[in-house]
Amino acid sequence: MQTDPRGPRFAAALTAVVLAAVLITGSGLLLAAQTLVFVLGAMGGPRVSPYSWLFHVFIAPHLTPPTETQDERPLRFTQGGGAVFAAVGALGYLTGVTWLGLLSTGFALAAAFLNAVFGYCLGCEIYPIVRRAQGRLGAGA
């Protein structure tokens, strides 16, 4: 399925704000909530992601139609990666291993910032590498 690439960039901006708030407050619960947002995006794609919903309801109607679309599979992969980092970070904060929470949240924030500000989706760049590796492993190479 194809999606408007401006939606994921908007979602990355919201994600970056939430992750920055986590770093400032040290809130494991806020990071757990962000983990849920990532999981929804990974499992259901942009159609069920809360941030994508916000984009489509409040932002997209005021924009011209997109001139290009983007495959949602790399975006779902990216959300899965974000879910892993956020879950590890939340676990760190909630169990008192604060350095793990800070480190994991920092990595997730860096990736979200790259997408929000520069349009560079780190997970989208990794996705084809993983798919090629899966193909080679499946072919017995």
Side-chain angles (χ1 to χ4, degrees):
M1 178 156 242
Q2 298 290 308
T3 190
D4 182 342
R6 298 171 295 186
R9 197 162 176 186
F10 172 80
L14 289 179
T15 299
V17 169
V18 169
L19 294 173
V22 168
L23 287 175
I24 292 167
T25 65
S27 174
L29 292 177
L30 181 57
L31 191 52
Q34 178 60 51
T35 301
L36 179 59
V37 170
F38 280 136
V39 168
L40 289 170
M43 300 299 287
R47 291 173 307 284
V48 299
S49 170
Y51 297 163
S52 184
W53 178 83
L54 288 171
F55 173 79
H56 288 291
V57 170
F58 295 107
I59 306 296
H62 303 287
L63 301 175
T64 60
T67 57
E68 60 185 47
T69 59
Q70 181 178 9
D71 184 0
E72 79 172 34
R73 291 174 298 179
L75 299 171
R76 290 174 71 161
F77 174 82
T78 300
Q79 292 292 296
V84 170
F85 277 97
V88 169
L91 184 65
Y93 281 120
L94 295 172
T95 60
V97 186
T98 307
W99 68 264
L100 182 60
L102 289 167
L103 183 66
S104 192
T105 304
F107 280 131
L109 175 57
F113 180 83
L114 283 172
N115 195 354
V117 176
F118 300 109
Y120 185 81
C121 175
L122 189 58
C124 297
E125 297 296 324
I126 296 170
Y127 175 78
I129 297 167
V130 170
R131 294 294 295 165
R132 278 193 298 275
Q134 286 175 331
R136 289 185 181 147
L137 290 173

PDB file of all heavy atoms in Angstrom, residues 95-123:
ATOM      1  N   THR A  95      12.659   0.157  35.484  1.00  0.00           N
ATOM      2  CA  THR A  95      13.371  -0.743  36.409  1.00  0.00           C
ATOM      3  C   THR A  95      14.531  -0.053  37.114  1.00  0.00           C
ATOM      4  O   THR A  95      15.276  -0.699  37.848  1.00  0.00           O
ATOM      5  CB  THR A  95      13.890  -1.988  35.671  1.00  0.00           C
ATOM      6  OG1 THR A  95      14.794  -1.580  34.640  1.00  0.00           O
ATOM      7  CG2 THR A  95      12.746  -2.807  35.088  1.00  0.00           C
ATOM      8  N   GLY A  96      14.699   1.247  36.875  1.00  0.00           N
ATOM      9  CA  GLY A  96      15.762   1.982  37.548  1.00  0.00           C
ATOM     10  C   GLY A  96      17.109   1.931  36.846  1.00  0.00           C
ATOM     11  O   GLY A  96      18.096   2.436  37.374  1.00  0.00           O
ATOM     12  N   VAL A  97      17.161   1.340  35.666  1.00  0.00           N
ATOM     13  CA  VAL A  97      18.406   1.316  34.885  1.00  0.00           C
ATOM     14  C   VAL A  97      18.348   2.533  33.948  1.00  0.00           C
ATOM     15  O   VAL A  97      18.172   2.409  32.740  1.00  0.00           O
ATOM     16  CB  VAL A  97      18.556  -0.016  34.103  1.00  0.00           C
ATOM     17  CG1 VAL A  97      19.917  -0.083  33.429  1.00  0.00           C
ATOM     18  CG2 VAL A  97      18.347  -1.207  35.020  1.00  0.00           C
ATOM     19  N   THR A  98      18.496   3.688  34.560  1.00  0.00           N
ATOM     20  CA  THR A  98      18.275   4.951  33.857  1.00  0.00           C
ATOM     21  C   THR A  98      19.182   5.124  32.646  1.00  0.00           C
ATOM     22  O   THR A  98      18.748   5.636  31.618  1.00  0.00           O
ATOM     23  CB  THR A  98      18.455   6.131  34.838  1.00  0.00           C
ATOM     24  OG1 THR A  98      17.612   5.902  35.973  1.00  0.00           O
ATOM     25  CG2 THR A  98      18.094   7.444  34.198  1.00  0.00           C
ATOM     26  N   TRP A  99      20.429   4.663  32.741  1.00  0.00           N
ATOM     27  CA  TRP A  99      21.349   4.825  31.605  1.00  0.00           C
ATOM     28  C   TRP A  99      20.808   4.101  30.369  1.00  0.00           C
ATOM     29  O   TRP A  99      20.966   4.580  29.244  1.00  0.00           O
ATOM     30  CB  TRP A  99      22.768   4.343  31.954  1.00  0.00           C
ATOM     31  CG  TRP A  99      22.877   2.856  32.163  1.00  0.00           C
ATOM     32  CD1 TRP A  99      22.827   2.198  33.350  1.00  0.00           C
ATOM     33  CD2 TRP A  99      23.057   1.857  31.151  1.00  0.00           C
ATOM     34  NE1 TRP A  99      22.951   0.843  33.143  1.00  0.00           N
ATOM     35  CE2 TRP A  99      23.102   0.601  31.810  1.00  0.00           C
ATOM     36  CE3 TRP A  99      23.196   1.884  29.773  1.00  0.00           C
ATOM     37  CZ2 TRP A  99      23.264  -0.601  31.126  1.00  0.00           C
ATOM     38  CZ3 TRP A  99      23.356   0.683  29.082  1.00  0.00           C
ATOM     39  CH2 TRP A  99      23.390  -0.537  29.759  1.00  0.00           C
ATOM     40  N   LEU A 100      20.149   2.960  30.565  1.00  0.00           N
ATOM     41  CA  LEU A 100      19.580   2.219  29.432  1.00  0.00           C
ATOM     42  C   LEU A 100      18.408   2.994  28.833  1.00  0.00           C
ATOM     43  O   LEU A 100      18.266   3.072  27.609  1.00  0.00           O
ATOM     44  CB  LEU A 100      19.128   0.826  29.890  1.00  0.00           C
ATOM     45  CG  LEU A 100      18.559  -0.082  28.810  1.00  0.00           C
ATOM     46  CD1 LEU A 100      19.586  -0.337  27.714  1.00  0.00           C
ATOM     47  CD2 LEU A 100      18.100  -1.404  29.438  1.00  0.00           C
ATOM     48  N   GLY A 101      17.592   3.584  29.696  1.00  0.00           N
ATOM     49  CA  GLY A 101      16.497   4.414  29.210  1.00  0.00           C
ATOM     50  C   GLY A 101      16.994   5.604  28.418  1.00  0.00           C
ATOM     51  O   GLY A 101      16.473   5.908  27.345  1.00  0.00           O
ATOM     52  N   LEU A 102      18.009   6.268  28.950  1.00  0.00           N
ATOM     53  CA  LEU A 102      18.578   7.430  28.257  1.00  0.00           C
ATOM     54  C   LEU A 102      19.188   7.045  26.914  1.00  0.00           C
ATOM     55  O   LEU A 102      18.950   7.712  25.904  1.00  0.00           O
ATOM     56  CB  LEU A 102      19.649   8.085  29.135  1.00  0.00           C
ATOM     57  CG  LEU A 102      19.160   8.820  30.370  1.00  0.00           C
ATOM     58  CD1 LEU A 102      20.326   9.127  31.306  1.00  0.00           C
ATOM     59  CD2 LEU A 102      18.438  10.097  29.967  1.00  0.00           C
ATOM     60  N   LEU A 103      19.962   5.983  26.900  1.00  0.00           N
ATOM     61  CA  LEU A 103      20.646   5.556  25.675  1.00  0.00           C
ATOM     62  C   LEU A 103      19.657   5.146  24.598  1.00  0.00           C
ATOM     63  O   LEU A 103      19.733   5.600  23.447  1.00  0.00           O
ATOM     64  CB  LEU A 103      21.607   4.400  25.987  1.00  0.00           C
ATOM     65  CG  LEU A 103      22.447   3.879  24.822  1.00  0.00           C
ATOM     66  CD1 LEU A 103      23.431   4.951  24.361  1.00  0.00           C
ATOM     67  CD2 LEU A 103      23.186   2.625  25.241  1.00  0.00           C
ATOM     68  N   SER A 104      18.721   4.304  24.959  1.00  0.00           N
ATOM     69  CA  SER A 104      17.753   3.810  23.992  1.00  0.00           C
ATOM     70  C   SER A 104      16.854   4.931  23.477  1.00  0.00           C
ATOM     71  O   SER A 104      16.586   5.022  22.280  1.00  0.00           O
ATOM     72  CB  SER A 104      16.922   2.692  24.631  1.00  0.00           C
ATOM     73  OG  SER A 104      16.186   2.021  23.662  1.00  0.00           O
ATOM     74  N   THR A 105      16.410   5.794  24.374  1.00  0.00           N
ATOM     75  CA  THR A 105      15.583   6.927  23.970  1.00  0.00           C
ATOM     76  C   THR A 105      16.380   7.877  23.081  1.00  0.00           C
ATOM     77  O   THR A 105      15.852   8.408  22.095  1.00  0.00           O
ATOM     78  CB  THR A 105      15.046   7.674  25.205  1.00  0.00           C
ATOM     79  OG1 THR A 105      14.334   6.751  26.023  1.00  0.00           O
ATOM     80  CG2 THR A 105      14.125   8.816  24.807  1.00  0.00           C
ATOM     81  N   GLY A 106      17.640   8.083  23.392  1.00  0.00           N
ATOM     82  CA  GLY A 106      18.487   8.941  22.573  1.00  0.00           C
ATOM     83  C   GLY A 106      18.643   8.425  21.152  1.00  0.00           C
ATOM     84  O   GLY A 106      18.586   9.201  20.193  1.00  0.00           O
ATOM     85  N   PHE A 107      18.824   7.111  21.003  1.00  0.00           N
ATOM     86  CA  PHE A 107      18.922   6.534  19.660  1.00  0.00           C
ATOM     87  C   PHE A 107      17.617   6.726  18.893  1.00  0.00           C
ATOM     88  O   PHE A 107      17.622   7.098  17.710  1.00  0.00           O
ATOM     89  CB  PHE A 107      19.281   5.047  19.721  1.00  0.00           C
ATOM     90  CG  PHE A 107      20.744   4.783  19.934  1.00  0.00           C
ATOM     91  CD1 PHE A 107      21.151   3.894  20.908  1.00  0.00           C
ATOM     92  CD2 PHE A 107      21.719   5.392  19.161  1.00  0.00           C
ATOM     93  CE1 PHE A 107      22.497   3.635  21.116  1.00  0.00           C
ATOM     94  CE2 PHE A 107      23.068   5.147  19.347  1.00  0.00           C
ATOM     95  CZ  PHE A 107      23.461   4.259  20.341  1.00  0.00           C
ATOM     96  N   ALA A 108      16.491   6.465  19.547  1.00  0.00           N
ATOM     97  CA  ALA A 108      15.195   6.634  18.887  1.00  0.00           C
ATOM     98  C   ALA A 108      14.959   8.099  18.514  1.00  0.00           C
ATOM     99  O   ALA A 108      14.459   8.394  17.426  1.00  0.00           O
ATOM    100  CB  ALA A 108      14.074   6.117  19.794  1.00  0.00           C
ATOM    101  N   LEU A 109      15.345   9.004  19.414  1.00  0.00           N
ATOM    102  CA  LEU A 109      15.189  10.433  19.127  1.00  0.00           C
ATOM    103  C   LEU A 109      16.046  10.846  17.937  1.00  0.00           C
ATOM    104  O   LEU A 109      15.603  11.608  17.081  1.00  0.00           O
ATOM    105  CB  LEU A 109      15.544  11.273  20.357  1.00  0.00           C
ATOM    106  CG  LEU A 109      15.539  12.794  20.168  1.00  0.00           C
ATOM    107  CD1 LEU A 109      14.191  13.295  19.671  1.00  0.00           C
ATOM    108  CD2 LEU A 109      15.927  13.484  21.466  1.00  0.00           C
ATOM    109  N   ALA A 110      17.260  10.347  17.858  1.00  0.00           N
ATOM    110  CA  ALA A 110      18.135  10.685  16.724  1.00  0.00           C
ATOM    111  C   ALA A 110      17.491  10.261  15.406  1.00  0.00           C
ATOM    112  O   ALA A 110      17.487  11.027  14.427  1.00  0.00           O
ATOM    113  CB  ALA A 110      19.497  10.027  16.898  1.00  0.00           C
ATOM    114  N   ALA A 111      16.936   9.064  15.364  1.00  0.00           N
ATOM    115  CA  ALA A 111      16.296   8.577  14.137  1.00  0.00           C
ATOM    116  C   ALA A 111      15.065   9.414  13.797  1.00  0.00           C
ATOM    117  O   ALA A 111      14.862   9.787  12.630  1.00  0.00           O
ATOM    118  CB  ALA A 111      15.932   7.107  14.292  1.00  0.00           C
ATOM    119  N   ALA A 112      14.240   9.724  14.788  1.00  0.00           N
ATOM    120  CA  ALA A 112      13.045  10.532  14.547  1.00  0.00           C
ATOM    121  C   ALA A 112      13.429  11.941  14.078  1.00  0.00           C
ATOM    122  O   ALA A 112      12.807  12.495  13.171  1.00  0.00           O
ATOM    123  CB  ALA A 112      12.190  10.606  15.813  1.00  0.00           C
ATOM    124  N   PHE A 113      14.466  12.508  14.691  1.00  0.00           N
ATOM    125  CA  PHE A 113      14.928  13.841  14.318  1.00  0.00           C
ATOM    126  C   PHE A 113      15.410  13.866  12.863  1.00  0.00           C
ATOM    127  O   PHE A 113      15.091  14.797  12.116  1.00  0.00           O
ATOM    128  CB  PHE A 113      16.044  14.281  15.262  1.00  0.00           C
ATOM    129  CG  PHE A 113      16.594  15.646  14.961  1.00  0.00           C
ATOM    130  CD1 PHE A 113      15.954  16.774  15.432  1.00  0.00           C
ATOM    131  CD2 PHE A 113      17.753  15.803  14.220  1.00  0.00           C
ATOM    132  CE1 PHE A 113      16.453  18.045  15.158  1.00  0.00           C
ATOM    133  CE2 PHE A 113      18.262  17.059  13.938  1.00  0.00           C
ATOM    134  CZ  PHE A 113      17.613  18.184  14.408  1.00  0.00           C
ATOM    135  N   LEU A 114      16.167  12.855  12.458  1.00  0.00           N
ATOM    136  CA  LEU A 114      16.647  12.787  11.076  1.00  0.00           C
ATOM    137  C   LEU A 114      15.483  12.804  10.090  1.00  0.00           C
ATOM    138  O   LEU A 114      15.537  13.472   9.052  1.00  0.00           O
ATOM    139  CB  LEU A 114      17.492  11.531  10.854  1.00  0.00           C
ATOM    140  CG  LEU A 114      18.904  11.552  11.394  1.00  0.00           C
ATOM    141  CD1 LEU A 114      19.542  10.170  11.262  1.00  0.00           C
ATOM    142  CD2 LEU A 114      19.747  12.596  10.664  1.00  0.00           C
ATOM    143  N   ASN A 115      14.445  12.058  10.403  1.00  0.00           N
ATOM    144  CA  ASN A 115      13.290  12.006   9.509  1.00  0.00           C
ATOM    145  C   ASN A 115      12.505  13.311   9.545  1.00  0.00           C
ATOM    146  O   ASN A 115      12.140  13.851   8.506  1.00  0.00           O
ATOM    147  CB  ASN A 115      12.387  10.824   9.875  1.00  0.00           C
ATOM    148  CG  ASN A 115      11.382  10.511   8.788  1.00  0.00           C
ATOM    149  OD1 ASN A 115      11.260  11.214   7.801  1.00  0.00           O
ATOM    150  ND2 ASN A 115      10.647   9.448   8.986  1.00  0.00           N
ATOM    151  N   ALA A 116      12.256  13.833  10.736  1.00  0.00           N
ATOM    152  CA  ALA A 116      11.447  15.043  10.863  1.00  0.00           C
ATOM    153  C   ALA A 116      12.107  16.249  10.212  1.00  0.00           C
ATOM    154  O   ALA A 116      11.456  17.017   9.515  1.00  0.00           O
ATOM    155  CB  ALA A 116      11.172  15.325  12.336  1.00  0.00           C
ATOM    156  N   VAL A 117      13.390  16.413  10.435  1.00  0.00           N
ATOM    157  CA  VAL A 117      14.075  17.631   9.972  1.00  0.00           C
ATOM    158  C   VAL A 117      14.633  17.497   8.559  1.00  0.00           C
ATOM    159  O   VAL A 117      14.526  18.420   7.753  1.00  0.00           O
ATOM    160  CB  VAL A 117      15.193  18.027  10.961  1.00  0.00           C
ATOM    161  CG1 VAL A 117      15.976  19.214  10.454  1.00  0.00           C
ATOM    162  CG2 VAL A 117      14.597  18.330  12.331  1.00  0.00           C
ATOM    163  N   PHE A 118      15.215  16.345   8.254  1.00  0.00           N
ATOM    164  CA  PHE A 118      15.895  16.187   6.964  1.00  0.00           C
ATOM    165  C   PHE A 118      15.176  15.252   5.993  1.00  0.00           C
ATOM    166  O   PHE A 118      15.616  15.084   4.859  1.00  0.00           O
ATOM    167  CB  PHE A 118      17.323  15.665   7.187  1.00  0.00           C
ATOM    168  CG  PHE A 118      18.156  16.586   8.029  1.00  0.00           C
ATOM    169  CD1 PHE A 118      18.514  16.231   9.323  1.00  0.00           C
ATOM    170  CD2 PHE A 118      18.571  17.809   7.544  1.00  0.00           C
ATOM    171  CE1 PHE A 118      19.279  17.068  10.110  1.00  0.00           C
ATOM    172  CE2 PHE A 118      19.335  18.672   8.325  1.00  0.00           C
ATOM    173  CZ  PHE A 118      19.685  18.304   9.614  1.00  0.00           C
ATOM    174  N   GLY A 119      14.099  14.614   6.432  1.00  0.00           N
ATOM    175  CA  GLY A 119      13.398  13.671   5.562  1.00  0.00           C
ATOM    176  C   GLY A 119      14.178  12.393   5.322  1.00  0.00           C
ATOM    177  O   GLY A 119      13.928  11.679   4.352  1.00  0.00           O
ATOM    178  N   TYR A 120      15.123  12.100   6.196  1.00  0.00           N
ATOM    179  CA  TYR A 120      15.953  10.896   6.062  1.00  0.00           C
ATOM    180  C   TYR A 120      15.433   9.831   7.019  1.00  0.00           C
ATOM    181  O   TYR A 120      15.589   9.951   8.243  1.00  0.00           O
ATOM    182  CB  TYR A 120      17.416  11.218   6.365  1.00  0.00           C
ATOM    183  CG  TYR A 120      18.346  10.046   6.131  1.00  0.00           C
ATOM    184  CD1 TYR A 120      18.781   9.742   4.849  1.00  0.00           C
ATOM    185  CD2 TYR A 120      18.757   9.246   7.180  1.00  0.00           C
ATOM    186  CE1 TYR A 120      19.617   8.668   4.626  1.00  0.00           C
ATOM    187  CE2 TYR A 120      19.598   8.171   6.969  1.00  0.00           C
ATOM    188  CZ  TYR A 120      20.020   7.886   5.690  1.00  0.00           C
ATOM    189  OH  TYR A 120      20.843   6.809   5.474  1.00  0.00           O
ATOM    190  N   CYS A 121      14.806   8.815   6.461  1.00  0.00           N
ATOM    191  CA  CYS A 121      14.230   7.736   7.262  1.00  0.00           C
ATOM    192  C   CYS A 121      15.263   6.621   7.385  1.00  0.00           C
ATOM    193  O   CYS A 121      15.489   5.852   6.453  1.00  0.00           O
ATOM    194  CB  CYS A 121      12.946   7.227   6.607  1.00  0.00           C
ATOM    195  SG  CYS A 121      12.217   5.812   7.426  1.00  0.00           S
ATOM    196  N   LEU A 122      15.887   6.543   8.540  1.00  0.00           N
ATOM    197  CA  LEU A 122      16.940   5.563   8.777  1.00  0.00           C
ATOM    198  C   LEU A 122      16.426   4.132   8.605  1.00  0.00           C
ATOM    199  O   LEU A 122      17.046   3.305   7.940  1.00  0.00           O
ATOM    200  CB  LEU A 122      17.528   5.761  10.167  1.00  0.00           C
ATOM    201  CG  LEU A 122      18.773   4.987  10.526  1.00  0.00           C
ATOM    202  CD1 LEU A 122      19.911   5.279   9.563  1.00  0.00           C
ATOM    203  CD2 LEU A 122      19.199   5.316  11.952  1.00  0.00           C
ATOM    204  N   GLY A 123      15.275   3.839   9.178  1.00  0.00           N
ATOM    205  CA  GLY A 123      14.703   2.502   9.046  1.00  0.00           C
ATOM    206  C   GLY A 123      14.362   2.160   7.601  1.00  0.00           C
ATOM    207  O   GLY A 123      14.508   1.007   7.183  1.00  0.00           O
TER     208      GLY A 123
END
